[in-house]
Amino acid sequence: MTTFPKDSILVLIETTPSGELARSAAGLLGAAARVGTPVALLVGESATAAAASEAAGAIGAKHVLTADPEGGASQLAVPVVDALAAAAALVHPDAILLSNSVNGRDVAGRFAARTRSALAVDAVGISRDEEGIVAHHSVYGGAYSVDCAPTFGAPVITVREGSIDDRAEAASPETTALDVPPSGVPAASIQSFEAQAVVSNRPELRGAAKVVAGGRGLTSQEQFALVDQLADVLGAAVGASRAAVDAGWVPNSYQVGQTGISVSPQLYVALGVSGAIQHRAGMQTAKTIVAINKDPDAPIFEIADFGVVGDLFDVVPQLIASLSARKE
Amino acid sequence: MKIVVLMKEVPDTYGERKLNLETGLADRGASDAVLDEIGERALELALSRAASIDNAEITVVSMAPETATTTLRKALAMGADRLVHIADVNLVGADLGLTAEVLAAAIRRTGFDLVIAGNLSTDGYGGVLPAMIAELLGVPYASALASVDIAGDRISGTRETDGGVMTVAAALPAVISITERFPAGRFPNFKGIMAAKKKPVETLTAADLDIDPEALDTPRSIMLAVSERPARAAGTKIVDEGDAGEKLAEFLIQNRLA
Ligand SMILES: Cc1cc2nc3c(=O)[nH]c(=O)nc-3n(C[C@H](O)[C@H](O)[C@H](O)COP(=O)(O)OP(=O)(O)OC[C@H]3O[C@@H](n4cnc5c(N)ncnc54)[C@H](O)[C@@H]3O)c2cc1C
Ligand SMILES: Cc1cc2nc3c(=O)[nH]c(=O)nc-3n(C[C@H](O)[C@H](O)[C@H](O)COP(=O)(O)OP(=O)(O)OC[C@H]3O[C@@H](n4cnc5c(N)ncnc54)[C@H](O)[C@@H]3O)c2cc1C
């Protein structure tokens, strides 16, 4: 039987229905490698394929556990929790890491409650001290940094996607197929799934180096295309304020802010966004903030490194033309 | 149908929110306390469907400091039938695990067919409590719903994940959480405010729920250090005189951002 290193960090890696590893995987394994030996758990039918283990090895998994629990494709969270429980019982890790995604949080919450483990959510960094694993958080929109640790036992930690720059060295992992006894805990059932269309040549909002975000000032879905255009010239991801999401101009997953996505890019360009405190909570840790707004008193200017008081429908086309001209 | 709505009191996000740098706890004196907006949406969902559900009884369950009674009464004024308020000084600073145990015990004591929670609170930002509570109650959990149908003995709805949209269903009893795509909570009217005064409010302590907040046999999440980041300062601000686009392009190029 495989024995696992004493400093094992168990990492749940989400896979897409087609068997690819989720984008969050590299950051999770990178965080794990910093504080111990990364052991990856892959769950689902496609996860049992050799290609999935190899892919996990390529981004740093030293060991791979695979599981294809009953109901894995038709039930929410519970089968994955069962697999994670089996993996944790086998590995005895120093910590368990998951992505702070909707699915990751569902699994983390159930698992922590079932095993009575201490839970730390939305960590932006992980370290180790003499007593064990410490999770670092950025709270209230980055206004505070908070370090958390369990009183004892291995903590369960969800990690904010895009927050970890560390990458683990590639490894050739040993793969172990897990036997997962079903817990029998009732779960919600999955009836259907419609994958969101991805704009392939544009970076993902989470973890993007540059973000262009549009707000109510764009006035319509058609006009919002101006945000896309500037984003494409800059090679940036597209974000939005809640007002733009509520208006239906962009999908919910574009929302930046306290109840949306938190980003910390090199560059954040806010177009027609007033800079409400809840929006700022999701972007004020950006390295450089640029704002274009026709209201000189808009709160976004309080945190902008470069602010333009003006009509975005004049300024942005000129900016795009100017950047495009210089590129040629 | 017994519906439990989980509502939290949070510092108003429109004000400046502070953490106490010594205790790491939310500094409640620093900003006004309000009902969490997402909790109001959860209650609104219950209220708006109550008429089409047999014998709907809506109980709001909240773990919050004693001083939260005034804030929580708003839920009764909006139309909830009764309030269960868990207030206990020993629960100040409770971590997620302890909060989940307390709320699950209170829900069990109240009795439930459907528990409605927000997907994410605006202060703790955990987004995990409803999953923990579902596990402790041993029932299905449909999370992050953007729409929901509540039938006699089951719920179904659409669930927003990072990768796409899912249709999910669950038999009752169950826990669900909703996203801010649900409509905002209604404003209490005068009649509601008057009626609220006569509605039952039960105040419980951890001991009433057979929970020992200081039990040492369960690991807890503790704060080791808290620090405040320096606030951001404003930089250059220019007024467009017909060439702001050019100037901005210049700024981006100089800073190697374009
Ligand atoms: C609990 C809670 C959570 C929330 N969570 C979030 C969140 O996660 N994310 C979020 O974004 N919001 C959030 N909000 C909402 C937030 O309070 C604001 O309502 C929202 O951010 C406003 O979006 P906006 O800036 O696009 O719109 P507005 O505030 O209406 O601002 C539009 C701006 O566009 C400018 N403008 C208009 N026309 C032009 C033009 N032609 N050229 C240049 N400028 C122009 C205007 O001057 C104005 O400043 C939350 C609110 C609450 C209560
Ligand atoms: C800045 C900050 C950071 C924290 N970090 C951690 C941490 O890393 N680990 C940890 O263990 N604890 C942490 N806590 C404590 C944790 O937030 C509390 O235990 C809190 O009561 C529950 O978590 P939440 O607000 O994140 O809930 P969420 O899981 O985000 O809440 C989702 C929904 O659950 C319901 N709900 C939540 N709280 C209550 C309540 N008190 N009463 C009724 N319904 C409720 C609501 O419907 C809410 O919409 C933190 C608290 C703060 C203020």
Side-chain angles (χ1 to χ4, degrees):
Chain A
M1 218 186 92
T2 326
T3 52
F4 294 88
K6 267 191 77 70
D7 68 347
S8 289
I9 306 292
L10 182 58
V11 178
L12 175 69
I13 292 186
E14 293 178 44
T15 48
T16 64
S18 56
E20 283 153 45
L21 307 187
R23 289 186 316 269
S24 54
L28 286 170
L29 289 168
R34 236 188 116 109
V35 296
T37 306
V39 178
L41 170 64
L42 304 176
V43 185
E45 200 189 333
S46 57
T48 57
S53 291
E54 273 166 36
I59 52 173
K62 288 261 165 55
H63 294 258
V64 174
L65 301 171
T66 62
D68 186 14
E70 231 178 278
S74 60
Q75 294 185 354
L76 269 190
V78 169
V80 183
V81 177
D82 295 350
L84 189 59
L90 182 70
V91 176
H92 294 295
D94 279 350
I96 293 161
L97 306 188
L98 306 91
S99 172
N100 192 50
S101 60
V102 175
N103 288 323
R105 285 199 300 261
D106 284 2
V107 172
R110 276 193 180 271
F111 176 82
R114 188 183 295 182
T115 58
R116 305 275 155 157
S117 305
L119 177 56
V121 290
D122 201 29
V124 296
I126 311 244
S127 64
R128 185 190 277 273
D129 67 10
E130 313 77 59
E131 319 240 333
I133 304 295
V134 179
H136 305 274
H137 306 266
S138 166
V139 307
Y140 288 169
Y144 293 88
S145 301
V146 178
D147 297 348
C148 279
T151 48
F152 62 92
V156 177
I157 304 172
T158 69
V159 179
R160 183 184 296 178
E161 189 181 335
S163 68
I164 308 277
D165 294 329
D166 293 321
R167 290 294 176 266
E169 260 173 52
S172 327
E174 207 178 310
T175 301
T176 311
L178 267 185
D179 197 25
V180 180
S183 61
V185 173
S189 61
I190 302 168
Q191 320 261 279
S192 67
F193 179 69
E194 205 176 308
Q196 195 170 71
V198 277
V199 185
S200 52
N201 47 12
R202 206 175 278 152
E204 274 299 326
L205 183 52
R206 279 173 217 268
K210 295 176 191 170
V211 174
V212 180
R216 205 194 315 260
L218 268 303
T219 66
S220 72
Q221 182 161 11
E222 292 68 45
Q223 309 262 46
F224 200 91
L226 197 54
V227 177
D228 299 347
Q229 285 165 24
L230 178 59
D232 290 342
V233 173
L234 289 168
V238 175
S241 71
R242 187 166 88 175
V245 171
D246 281 346
W249 304 339
V250 289
N252 305 341
S253 57
Y254 282 40
Q255 184 173 321
V256 172
Q258 187 176 310
T259 45
I261 289 173
S262 289
V263 295
S264 296
Q266 294 295 315
L267 173 66
Y268 190 91
V269 183
L271 306 177
V273 173
S274 60
I277 197 156
Q278 300 92 350
H279 186 81
R280 281 153 55 175
M283 46 67 75
Q284 64 196 7
T285 56
K287 194 126 188 293
T288 301
I289 296 172
V290 169
I292 303 176
N293 195 305
K294 66 179 182 192
D295 172 7
D297 297 323
I300 192 77
F301 288 129
E302 291 162 22
I303 57 164
D305 300 286
F306 196 98
V308 176
V309 181
D311 190 321
L312 71 92
F313 295 111
D314 296 332
V315 180
V316 178
Q318 189 181 65
L319 171 62
I320 292 174
S322 178
L323 289 173
S324 309
R326 287 172 209 233
K327 266 190 188 160
E328 274 152 22
Chain B
M1 181 185 294
K2 294 188 90 162
I3 302 175
V4 170
V5 178
L6 292 177
M7 297 182 84
K8 190 177 182 184
E9 187 198 52
V10 298
D12 190 348
T13 60
Y14 286 105
E16 193 183 353
R17 296 173 298 163
K18 290 202 161 202
L19 280 185
N20 182 309
L21 292 176
E22 263 152 46
T23 60
L25 299 177
D27 188 345
R28 295 192 180 262
S31 38
D32 290 337
V34 294
L35 282 178
D36 199 357
E37 189 201 57
I38 193 72
E40 292 191 357
R41 291 178 201 258
L43 177 57
E44 181 61 35
L45 166 63
L47 293 171
S48 66
R49 305 295 168 85
S52 58
I53 294 171
D54 280 347
N55 299 320
E57 189 204 27
I58 302 170
T59 305
V60 167
V61 172
S62 185
M63 175 177 128
E66 217 166 328
T67 50
T69 324
T70 333
T71 314
L72 292 171
R73 277 203 175 268
K74 182 181 172 197
L76 296 176
M78 284 170 73
D81 296 307
R82 49 196 210 98
L83 169 66
V84 175
H85 179 185
I86 308 114
D88 190 326
V89 286
N90 293 316
L91 290 171
V92 172
D95 74 344
L96 286 161
L98 182 56
T99 307
E101 280 171 43
V102 167
L103 291 175
I107 293 165
R108 209 180 275 124
R109 188 175 185 275
T110 302
F112 71 102
D113 296 296
L114 177 64
V115 177
I116 309 177
N119 64 329
L120 207 72
S121 79
T122 55
D123 68 337
Y125 204 69
V128 288
L129 265 180
M132 301 178 87
I133 291 167
E135 183 72 22
L136 295 175
L137 295 172
V139 299
Y141 172 44
S143 56
L145 298 182
S147 70
V148 70
D149 273 321
I150 305 171
D153 55 355
R154 59 185 249 125
I155 61 98
S156 59
T158 52
R159 174 175 181 261
E160 294 180 344
T161 68
D162 302 302
V165 178
M166 217 175 236
T167 321
V168 295
L172 299 184
V175 176
I176 65 172
S177 69
I178 61 153
T179 70
E180 57 185 3
R181 297 310 143 220
F182 275 87
R186 63 191 64 186
F187 288 104
N189 56 23
F190 181 71
K191 216 174 110 210
I193 294 167
M194 294 316 287
K197 295 192 200 298
K198 298 193 204 74
K199 289 180 179 172
V201 175
E202 194 177 12
T203 310
L204 301 174
T205 61
D208 294 330
L209 297 166
D210 276 330
I211 287 171
D212 174 8
E214 261 119 55
L216 292 174
D217 57 347
T218 309
R220 297 291 175 210
S221 194
I222 49 166
M223 233 144 329
L224 301 180
V226 188
S227 57
E228 193 170 0
R229 294 228 187 115
R232 250 194 124 93
T236 317
K237 185 158 96 179
I238 62 167
V239 177
D240 184 24
E241 287 166 346
D243 59 354
E246 304 271 355
K247 284 185 175 154
L248 180 47
E250 194 67 41
F251 170 84
L252 293 175
I253 288 162
Q254 261 173 18
N255 288 281
R256 299 174 180 278
L257 292 166

